[in-house]
Amino acid sequence: KAGVTQTPRYLIKTRGQQVTLSCSPISGHRSVSWYQQTPGQGLQFLFEYFSETQRNKGNFPGRFSGRQFSNSRSEMNVSTLELGDSALYLCASSLGGYFYEQYFGPGTRLTVT
Amino acid sequence: SQELEQSPQSLIVQEGKNLTINCTSSKTLYGLYWYKQKYGEGLIFLMMLQKGGEEKSHEKITAKLDEKKQQSSLHITASQPSHAGIYLCGALNTNAGKSTFGDGTTLTVKP
């Protein structure tokens, strides 16, 4: 079974630009969660999508948004990039229930200059 | 919000030695995950614990959940260089339906 895939793996953007990151979950998984990981803040929850609906949201500004498609693939968008948005963005997929195991992708390393 | 505190923050051990990493929650634990991460890469799922007293093993790694203490411990027996990495615990907060993670424990195993 293929694992969680994320594209692109690396990205360099300029302040003020916007970026879209993609996540393909494990086949059969309906839940996709997004996390931001930085040295200072650690791993922080952004949001979770289940069956194309945002089910949970973390404490991030509205510049961070996402969506999920009918095939469970998910995209995350960050508008008006700031230097502080530089981070490793990870997505995780699970079957969908609260106690199902989450499997993470390799991440997208975003650098904002 | 639920916070997870991991100890120690970093650990250097000689190959072959045993070690323990702890994860303590500020609130009731409904489920706890252990992951391993190589720097800059994704998280590798190790195991999930759901019930108090539950103990699971994955190769030479064993984890236990103590509900009363709101704590989990990860124990590695006869450590190897391949065990090196960052170990993170994550807790599922069913009130919010989202996971929170500890800051991680960086393990170095000297050959």
Side-chain angles (χ1 to χ4, degrees), chain A residues 34-110:
Chain A
W34 288 90
Y35 295 85
Q36 180 195 66
Q37 188 177 37
T38 59
Q41 299 296 319
L43 195 60
Q44 292 189 293
F45 173 80
L46 280 156
F47 30 66
E48 184 223 359
Y49 285 86
F50 181 80
S51 292
E52 302 179 65
T53 301
Q54 186 180 87
R55 191 161 63 171
N56 294 291
K57 191 176 188 303
N59 298 320
F60 278 81
R63 299 185 297 107
F64 292 82
S65 63
R67 59 178 174 168
Q68 187 179 35
F69 302 95
S70 58
N71 61 358
S72 293
R73 189 177 71 85
S74 176
E75 287 183 347
M76 190 192 96
N77 185 276
V78 187
S79 63
T80 319
L81 284 166
E82 300 177 1
L83 294 178
D85 296 333
S86 295
L88 181 67
Y89 289 89
L90 295 160
C91 81
S93 79
S94 75
L95 283 169
Y98 286 138
F99 293 119
Y100 283 108
E101 300 157 2
Q102 281 192 92
Y103 294 91
F104 282 78
T108 294
R109 170 73 63 186
L110 172 64

Side-chain angles (χ1 to χ4, degrees), chain A residues 9 35 37 39 41-43 45 48 55-59 88 90 98-107 109, chain B residues 30-31 33 35 37 39-45 48 50 56 88 92 94 96-103:
Chain A
R9 291 293 312 277
Y35 295 85
Q37 188 177 37
Q41 299 296 319
L43 195 60
F45 173 80
E48 184 223 359
R55 191 161 63 171
N56 294 291
K57 191 176 188 303
N59 298 320
L88 181 67
L90 295 160
Y98 286 138
F99 293 119
Y100 283 108
E101 300 157 2
Q102 281 192 92
Y103 294 91
F104 282 78
R109 170 73 63 186
Chain B
Y30 294 99
Y33 309 89
Y35 291 90
Q37 183 180 31
Y39 180 76
E41 299 179 9
L43 279 64
I44 299 168
F45 176 84
M48 181 177 76
Q50 291 180 236
K56 286 188 177 178
L88 292 115
L92 183 63
T94 57
K98 56 189 181 185
S99 297
T100 55
F101 286 82
D103 287 337

